[in-house]
Amino acid sequence: MRTENPRGADIRSMIGTAREVCLRMNDARVIFCSVVSPRSDGADAFVVRPWGVEATATVRYDDVRRATSVTEMVWQRQRAISRAQLAGVFVD
């Protein structure tokens, strides 16, 4: 049986309930995205669509350091994040 650390449980819970999230990755990347498929059935990854990008991406739970819900976002800020992510130059 697989045991999970509390941080992993928090991340799974956030991904399972939030639609728009900010993912802080272990490699220092920050990804603002929409959760497409949370895969809460014990899978080790989930599917997101980064803002400003049409393609989806599969993210492993183990690669996420922290996940937070994006509850309010000024549209100008969201568009700026989308442009930066699309260009690959986003910094938090």
Side-chain angles (χ1 to χ4, degrees), residues 16-81:
T17 58
R19 176 160 161 51
E20 307 292 332
V21 294
C22 173
L23 302 176
R24 296 183 187 286
M25 309 299 284
N26 290 329
D27 63 2
R29 289 181 298 151
V30 177
I31 303 171
F32 283 86
C33 56
S34 301
V35 177
V36 175
S37 172
R39 292 189 187 169
S40 59
D41 59 351
D44 63 349
F46 57 98
V47 179
V48 299
R49 189 178 65 248
W51 293 356
V53 181
E54 289 186 28
T56 60
T58 300
V59 178
R60 292 179 39 86
Y61 286 104
D62 291 342
D63 293 339
V64 180
R65 185 182 76 219
R66 184 172 181 216
T68 55
S69 175
V70 178
T71 55
E72 290 187 29
M73 177 70 65
V74 176
W75 285 111
Q76 292 143 335
R77 175 78 173 131
Q78 191 271 344
R79 283 193 294 269
I81 290 169

